[in-house]
Amino acid sequence: MYISVFALVFLIGPAAEALDNGLALTPTMGWLHWERFMCNTDCDQDPDNCISERLFMQVADVMVKEGWKEAGYEYVCIDDCWPYHQRDNQGRLQADPKRFPGGIKKLADYVHSRGLKLGIYADVGNKTCAGYPGSLGYYDTDAQTFAEWGVDLLKFDGCFMDWTLLGEGYMNMSRALNQTGRSIVYSCEWPLYEWRFQKPNYTAIRETCNHWRNSADVLDSWSSIKSISAWTADYQDTIVPAAGPGGWNDPDMLVIGNFGLSHDQQESQMALWAIMAAPLFMSNDLRNICPRSKELLQNKHVISINQDPLGKQGYLSGKVDGFEVWERPLSKQRLAIAVLNKQEIGGPRGFVIRAAQGWRVCTPACNVTQILPHYKDMGVQPMFSKMVVRVNPSGTVLLTVVPVSGDFKEVYSMEWQDTSVRHHNNAFL
Ligand SMILES: *[C@@H]1O[C@H](CO)[C@@H](O)[C@H](O)[C@H]1NC(C)=O
Ligand SMILES: *[C@@H]1O[C@H](CO)[C@@H](O)[C@H](O)[C@H]1NC(C)=O
Ligand SMILES: *[C@@H]1O[C@H](CO)[C@@H](O)[C@H](O)[C@H]1NC(C)=O
Ligand SMILES: *[C@@H]1O[C@H](CO)[C@@H](O)[C@H](O)[C@H]1NC(C)=O
Ligand SMILES: *[C@@H]1O[C@H](CO)[C@@H](O)[C@H](O)[C@H]1NC(C)=O
């Protein structure tokens, strides 16, 4: 019954033209303040956690010292609540002078001196979501200001905007950014705000933005991760074909290393975001993060699935017995497979992965590697072998399968009888 979903994703064909700015050829990686630090502007009472230049400088320092930059996390991104409540007398945005005494230009220089890039936030409408000045009517001015400051990424929110003008606004800002001549990653929320009224035009979105938010803000909870992955699966026929080098669906920040997810759930978020070819923006306190979360976020095998150069987003390929199976085609005919145990009761449960049909890449056999929860060589599996993985409640087992050549005929003719008779209940695809 999942064959139709599967086929459709592939029939729609290659993604449309991406925004031609040479950026985000693989999903953007970095850190973004919102989920963890929100609109905390109280630097008197809470100097370590308020939205201030100090926070971003400390994060930049830690990113270099603690291996984040080396792992690929590059963009240090400011979200809402950085500006002063009024524009200056020339109509330009200005940073809150108390919290950003050096100004954004100096902060950008600092971040660049660490070999990292700086992201900033603005809004397509009259006001930002937290009520700071919006960019409507000021797109050229704001793009120019950001370029002069040395900003490398713009997250452009969609609050306080007439929805019928969303497309125009996002496209105008895209043009304004282009005209500055500076390379600035353009992170949009256009579809998120348009879905409430009509189906967005993903061809136009891909031509305009480097990534785009589709669904609600992530929270620090498993129910939030579940609802984002459920939304992504429900709309995958529409959104998966829109992703590719230069433009990505953005399911929002990684909340790994915070308070709301168990370690299994953190692994599930990391695995799903890798399958979904999602931008990886951590929102956590890198100055104080538990070693296991750090190790997970820096896992080079998972990151290399996320950053796979083929740039095809994965999709939900089957739901069986309280499990979800997600797949992502990778370069060199490889495949990533995530098996998520959705049952939130009991202990680890076995799931039979049957290679027949589904793993068409495994002709005649595949080399299987488990990436999460632990790196493990699972050996060469002939096309019709079946493997059992054990998955913790709300946890995920992430695998890669790589085709290998060889003569495995005898083995799989035997296995064929076995699997077709006894295991059809657990077969997916
Ligand atoms: C602006 O757009 C043109 C044409 O699409 C492209 O060639 C150029 O690289 C873009 N420049 C920047 C700075 O994004
Ligand atoms: C922005 O604010 C102005 C002045 O209040 C109002 O006339 C206009 O309709 C608003 N625009 C949008 C897109 O909400
Ligand atoms: C977009 O730009 C066009 C052409 O300059 C202009 O007519 C239109 O009002 C702009 N729309 C918005 C929402 O800024
Ligand atoms: C969607 O956008 C593309 C590119 O801008 C355009 O060619 C196409 O006509 C639009 N489709 C619809 C249904 O509006
Ligand atoms: C299978 O992959 C593992 C890495 O997981 C590698 O060490 C091994 O050499 C590979 N085996 C074959 C036959 O390709």
Side-chain angles (χ1 to χ4, degrees), residues 24 26-32 63 68-77 116-117 153 185 211 254 270 278-282 297-299 302-304 306-307:
T26 61
T28 309
M29 293 175 66
W31 182 92
L32 176 61
M63 279 174 71
W68 300 99
K69 181 185 163 202
E70 208 182 320
Y73 296 94
E74 189 180 14
Y75 288 80
V76 180
C77 300
L116 298 166
K117 297 194 150 91
L153 177 150
V185 173
H211 22 91
L254 294 167
M270 196 69 187
L280 299 180
F281 288 108
M282 305 177 283
L297 286 162
Q298 295 190 357
N299 184 312
V302 186
I303 290 173
S304 88
N306 175 271
Q307 296 285 302

Side-chain angles (χ1 to χ4, degrees), residues 300-353:
K300 62 177 196 267
H301 304 291
V302 186
I303 290 173
S304 88
I305 293 172
N306 175 271
Q307 296 285 302
D308 185 75
L310 185 63
K312 274 196 185 298
Q313 180 173 341
Y315 43 84
L316 177 70
S317 63
K319 282 193 199 190
V320 181
D321 190 24
F323 289 98
E324 284 184 4
V325 180
W326 292 72
E327 299 189 7
R328 178 175 175 189
L330 303 174
S331 55
K332 300 185 195 138
Q333 290 181 290
R334 294 167 309 140
L335 193 65
I337 299 174
V339 180
L340 170 62
N341 179 0
K342 294 291 289 284
Q343 192 171 287
E344 294 172 38
I345 186 170
R349 290 195 302 143
F351 180 80
V352 178
I353 299 186

Side-chain angles (χ1 to χ4, degrees), residues 1-312:
M1 79 179 125
Y2 292 102
I3 302 270
S4 60
V5 172
F6 188 78
L8 196 60
V9 165
F10 283 95
L11 286 175
I12 291 171
E17 290 295 313
L19 171 61
D20 180 21
N21 64 0
L23 299 171
L25 298 181
T26 61
T28 309
M29 293 175 66
W31 182 92
L32 176 61
H33 93 241
W34 187 258
E35 193 286 321
R36 177 66 187 253
F37 296 94
M38 301 178 71
C39 195
N40 181 350
T41 54
D42 190 356
C43 293
D44 295 331
Q45 298 299 315
D46 197 6
D48 289 336
N49 300 301
C50 68
I51 306 314
S52 69
E53 62 184 26
R54 191 160 158 251
L55 174 65
F56 298 98
M57 289 159 87
Q58 289 179 350
V59 167
D61 289 345
V62 173
M63 279 174 71
V64 175
K65 278 202 207 100
E66 303 283 329
W68 300 99
K69 181 185 163 202
E70 208 182 320
Y73 296 94
E74 189 180 14
Y75 288 80
V76 180
C77 300
I78 307 171
D79 206 288
D80 204 346
C81 303
W82 65 269
Y84 189 56
H85 283 287
Q86 280 104 42
R87 290 175 177 270
D88 72 9
N89 52 22
Q90 290 166 312
R92 291 176 305 199
L93 289 171
Q94 46 190 342
D96 183 289
K98 192 164 168 226
R99 293 180 288 118
F100 294 84
I104 303 295
K105 170 92 177 72
K106 201 165 150 225
L107 179 57
D109 291 346
Y110 186 88
V111 168
H112 293 156
S113 75
R114 300 303 185 265
L116 298 166
K117 297 194 150 91
L118 184 73
I120 207 162
Y121 168 100
D123 190 284
V124 70
N126 270 329
K127 286 190 251 178
T128 73
C129 297
Y132 292 85
S135 295
L136 185 64
Y138 293 90
Y139 298 147
D140 293 313
T141 306
D142 292 353
Q144 198 56 45
T145 303
F146 298 148
E148 282 166 15
W149 285 344
V151 163
D152 306 292
L153 177 150
L154 172 63
K155 173 176 173 178
F156 210 39
D157 214 333
C159 282
F160 299 102
M161 183 62 166
D162 172 350
W163 78 270
T164 62
L165 298 176
L166 276 170
E168 227 178 87
Y170 276 100
M171 288 191 263
N172 285 2
M173 189 50 147
S174 189
R175 212 172 301 124
L177 290 171
N178 178 280
Q179 279 163 11
T180 67
R182 185 174 175 84
S183 290
I184 299 175
V185 173
Y186 188 33
S187 171
C188 297
E189 307 213 14
W190 169 5
L192 166 62
Y193 289 88
E194 188 162 337
W195 269 115
R196 296 162 194 182
F197 304 97
Q198 66 181 22
K199 184 176 172 179
N201 181 341
Y202 279 92
T203 306
I205 290 167
R206 183 170 167 77
E207 287 167 0
T208 305
C209 306
N210 291 118
H211 22 91
W212 47 85
R213 287 275 310 284
N214 293 305
S215 52
D217 283 8
V218 71
L219 308 178
D220 187 12
S221 72
W222 179 234
S223 63
S224 171
I225 303 305
K226 278 191 297 185
S227 77
I228 291 172
S229 59
W231 190 95
T232 303
D234 287 347
Y235 291 91
Q236 62 186 2
D237 293 353
T238 300
I239 66 169
V240 167
W248 310 97
N249 291 294
D250 178 5
D252 211 6
M253 294 159 270
L254 294 167
V255 295
I256 295 164
N258 290 318
F259 308 96
L261 302 185
S262 71
H263 194 74
D264 286 290
Q265 293 162 354
Q266 296 183 37
E267 289 177 343
S268 291
Q269 191 187 24
M270 196 69 187
L272 288 168
W273 265 234
I275 293 280
M276 295 191 290
L280 299 180
F281 288 108
M282 305 177 283
S283 194
N284 50 18
D285 190 347
L286 294 180
R287 299 165 302 185
N288 177 21
I289 184 169
C290 107
R292 278 185 89 191
S293 298
K294 178 179 172 188
E295 192 186 339
L296 174 62
L297 286 162
Q298 295 190 357
N299 184 312
K300 62 177 196 267
H301 304 291
V302 186
I303 290 173
S304 88
I305 293 172
N306 175 271
Q307 296 285 302
D308 185 75
L310 185 63
K312 274 196 185 298

